Amino acid sequence: MLTNIPQVKCGIISVSRDCFIISLSENRRKAIVEAYQKAHGELWEIQKTVENEKDMLAAVEEAKKAGCNALVVFLGNFGPETPETLIAQHFNGPVMYVAAAEETGSNLINGRGDAYCGMLNCSYNLGLRKIEAFIPEYPVGTAEELVEMIADFQPVARAILGLKGLKIITFGPRPQDFFACNAPIQPLYDLGVEVEENSELDLLVAYRHHANDPRIASVVKDMSKELGTDGNHYPDLLPRMAQYELTLLDWMEQHKGARSYVAFANKCWPAFPTEFGFEPCYVNSRLVSRGIPVACEVDIYGALSEYIGVCVSGDTVTLLDINNSVPKDLFEKTIAPSTGYTLRDTFMGFHCGNTPLCKLKKGAVKYQLIQNRLLENGAKPDITRGTLEGDIASGPITFFRLQSNARGQLRSYIAQGEVLPAATNSFGGIGIFAIPEMGRFYRHVLIARQYPHHGAVAFGHFGRALYSVFTWLGIQDIAFNQPKGMLYPGENPFDR
């Protein structure tokens, strides 16, 4: 259950230009509310229709008293340009603007609303006032069409509300050899996100204070139930990990401060297993399954991206290395015969073990092979245990990231694809990913625009909502995997 994201309560306000028939806007609003409630659930109907600025104040106050934290402003007819845009200025939350399509050719005298025209003036007025609002790709429609646009707005609103209330808590200095995780954090404050940076020693002290915590037994029981017999390879390790889970959850509650939501970005090697006595990956996976991302390697922008993905998808996410190419023999044997992908469309996404169990084909707690070589000389694993490993379940995914470059400029990418059902025959939390034209995207976005190796993964196709969120945040550079024939800047048109 996701407990770390906002619950959106969306209201709808209809507006009417005073020289138009007000009942036209009101009746069209009622039709939207009725259709939305049948298809998607609650849409709070604000009874006050806005014709002037005093109406605007009354309608916004009605929405606030109802507990609405997101709004749809509906142009049921041409609409009053100034009052309708002031709604977004006076309402402390995300606002969407849509307009009514004309309903029938047999009633274009008293039944014509001209909202198609009014939407143009509305957008111009929003620009004059520098007001950010959500406007769909084609914002004019019938009640049934607008209902689906409003439904598309809900995950965008959830993400915007979540970011307004987010604090990213970090432990440990950002690692020296992972420069991509050392991006400037000023842009996070520009977005309204709070950051709290702590030492690994702070975390270690807090962990030790949780020794013999009476809640440990209950968490161990829950872990054992989740892993089952096949996944619980190290039962003796569970109390250590349960103690750590309680440490993070308590820190979260004690350090939220004025914020409502938290994401973590924590140092996880090489000192962590030596001092804590295990790898934190399985605990990280459990927290993100509840909507609390714990990004590896103090990747603050990775944590931010994961949190946006949780809000947009309403589901758990993961953070993976864009890790290794798929061997040609494996591709030709298990992928090429049943798909239309090329070898360059594929790659393996990997991390030590932070992907939630529910997103693995068959997961188990194991040990970190690379760290075992480094810290235990390849001997029987002890402190390097704690990863959650298994092939990632097949299905649609969206790979994405919001990142600051070295000059403090925010940029992002979004690429939709899938995890293939082919076995990886490798270790860690890992999957074979296929994204159309990935080879060109890899070269002309990830490399050319200097993105780090970490990418957030949402389990489904959420590109449209993510694009809307990034646009709302003012991100001007939103890259995507461009189809063949659509050249990237700097791409050689004569390449083979």
Side-chain angles (χ1 to χ4, degrees):
M1 180 180 176
L2 303 178
T3 58
N4 190 45
I5 60 174
Q7 297 299 310
V8 177
K9 183 174 182 179
C10 189
I12 182 170
I13 295 176
S14 60
V15 300
S16 176
R17 201 170 193 89
D18 57 9
C19 56
F20 281 76
I21 300 171
I22 191 171
S23 60
L24 183 64
S25 185
E26 291 175 333
N27 291 335
R28 287 174 169 178
R29 180 194 70 211
K30 293 179 187 300
I32 292 170
V33 171
E34 182 178 338
Y36 190 91
Q37 290 177 342
K38 285 181 180 179
H40 299 287
E42 183 185 46
L43 180 63
W44 192 269
E45 185 176 9
I46 306 302
Q47 298 300 316
K48 185 64 177 180
T49 300
V50 173
E51 291 185 299
N52 54 56
E53 291 186 35
K54 289 187 176 180
D55 290 340
M56 176 273 298
L57 292 173
V60 169
E61 184 62 24
E62 183 182 341
K64 289 179 178 179
K65 285 184 177 179
C68 295
N69 54 9
L71 278 181
V72 176
V73 177
F74 169 58
L75 278 66
N77 58 39
F78 190 98
E81 301 159 42
T82 294
E84 70 195 11
T85 53
L86 287 175
I87 291 172
Q89 193 172 76
H90 284 256
F91 181 73
N92 185 30
V95 178
M96 173 189 194
Y97 283 81
V98 291
E102 310 301 355
E103 291 140 337
T104 174
S106 63
N107 186 22
L108 286 177
I109 297 178
N110 291 326
R112 198 188 83 190
D114 297 358
Y116 188 84
C117 181
M119 194 69 200
L120 298 175
N121 285 20
C122 176
S123 67
Y124 185 77
N125 213 292
L126 288 169
L128 285 175
R129 300 174 190 279
K130 298 182 180 180
I131 296 171
E132 188 61 56
F134 178 81
I135 300 176
E137 289 299 306
Y138 184 72
V140 182
T142 62
E144 290 73 19
E145 291 167 338
L146 293 180
V147 158
E148 296 312 309
M149 298 180 205
I150 294 169
D152 287 344
F153 172 58
Q154 304 308 297
V156 177
R158 189 163 56 232
I160 299 305
L161 290 168
L163 290 176
K164 286 177 66 175
L166 180 65
K167 176 182 281 189
I168 299 177
I169 296 174
T170 77
F171 288 102
R174 285 170 271 174
Q176 169 68 17
D177 289 333
F178 281 69
F179 284 104
C181 296
N182 282 290
I185 62 172
Q186 178 61 48
L188 294 171
Y189 291 102
D190 295 340
L191 291 175
V193 174
E194 187 68 31
V195 181
E196 177 193 298
E197 296 188 279
N198 304 280
S199 164
E200 288 173 280
L201 285 175
D202 296 322
L203 184 58
L204 183 60
V205 169
Y207 174 72
R208 288 174 175 170
H209 282 167
H210 281 76
N212 303 314
D213 189 305
R215 298 170 293 172
I216 289 175
S218 176
V219 177
V220 167
K221 184 178 179 180
D222 187 62
M223 288 176 167
S224 299
K225 182 180 177 181
E226 179 184 47
L227 291 168
T229 304
D230 293 338
N232 192 3
H233 289 185
Y234 305 115
D236 66 296
L237 189 63
L238 298 190
R240 300 184 215 174
M241 294 192 291
Q243 181 179 335
Y244 180 61
E245 181 173 308
L246 291 168
T247 301
L248 288 180
L249 290 173
D250 284 352
W251 192 284
M252 172 179 169
E253 290 304 318
Q254 293 161 8
H255 288 252
K256 275 183 181 179
R259 294 302 172 119
S260 301
Y261 315 108
V262 167
F264 289 97
N266 297 349
K267 193 78 174 287
C268 47
W269 65 271
F272 188 98
T274 301
E275 298 306 314
F276 287 77
F278 61 93
E279 298 283 359
C281 310
Y282 174 51
V283 173
N284 295 354
S285 80
R286 281 172 55 86
L287 264 62
V288 74
S289 70
R290 303 179 213 175
I292 308 167
V294 186
C296 314
E297 295 152 340
V298 205
D299 181 3
I300 298 177
Y301 283 93
L304 174 71
S305 300
E306 283 190 278
Y307 186 74
I308 292 171
V310 170
C311 288
V312 163
S313 69
D315 191 10
T316 188
V317 297
T318 193
L319 186 75
L320 297 177
D321 289 353
I322 302 168
N323 199 68
N324 59 281
S325 61
V326 176
K328 188 175 182 180
D329 60 345
L330 189 158
F331 175 83
E332 291 179 345
K333 181 180 179 180
T334 64
I335 299 171
S338 58
T339 75
Y341 293 116
T342 69
L343 179 59
R344 289 187 181 182
D345 290 334
T346 65
F347 67 99
M348 289 194 186
F350 157 89
H351 243 171
C352 309
N354 60 328
T355 299
L357 190 64
C358 60
K359 300 303 180 183
L360 302 179
K361 292 179 184 176
K362 185 179 180 181
V365 171
K366 297 184 179 180
Y367 69 95
Q368 218 294 340
L369 178 63
I370 299 171
Q371 290 298 304
N372 176 254
R373 295 172 188 153
L374 175 67
L375 300 176
E376 298 180 304
N377 296 316
K380 183 179 178 180
D382 178 22
I383 62 172
T384 56
R385 298 178 298 164
T387 57
L388 181 66
E389 304 197 21
D391 278 4
I392 298 172
S394 59
I397 58 90
T398 307
F399 227 105
F400 65 99
R401 187 172 178 93
L402 178 58
Q403 174 75 21
S404 170
N405 63 17
R407 290 168 294 283
Q409 300 164 325
L410 286 169
R411 52 179 52 176
S412 63
Y413 68 76
I414 307 166
Q416 294 185 156
E418 63 177 310
V419 180
L420 298 173
T424 65
N425 304 315
S426 193
F427 63 94
I430 189 168
I432 298 179
F433 288 72
I435 292 175
E437 297 297 316
M438 178 64 190
R440 296 172 54 239
F441 179 76
Y442 174 77
R443 172 62 185 87
H444 295 286
V445 174
L446 300 181
I447 292 176
R449 303 187 191 184
Q450 301 168 349
Y451 278 101
H453 62 294
H454 286 176
V457 179
F459 294 95
H461 286 166
F462 300 102
R464 180 165 58 176
L466 286 166
Y467 190 92
S468 296
V469 171
F470 293 158
T471 300
W472 183 295
L473 296 176
I475 313 302
Q476 297 183 358
D477 184 350
I478 309 175
F480 63 98
N481 52 316
Q482 296 181 184
K484 192 176 295 184
M486 184 178 182
L487 294 179
Y488 293 98
E491 184 175 4
N492 189 333
F494 302 102
D495 192 30
R496 287 184 287 178

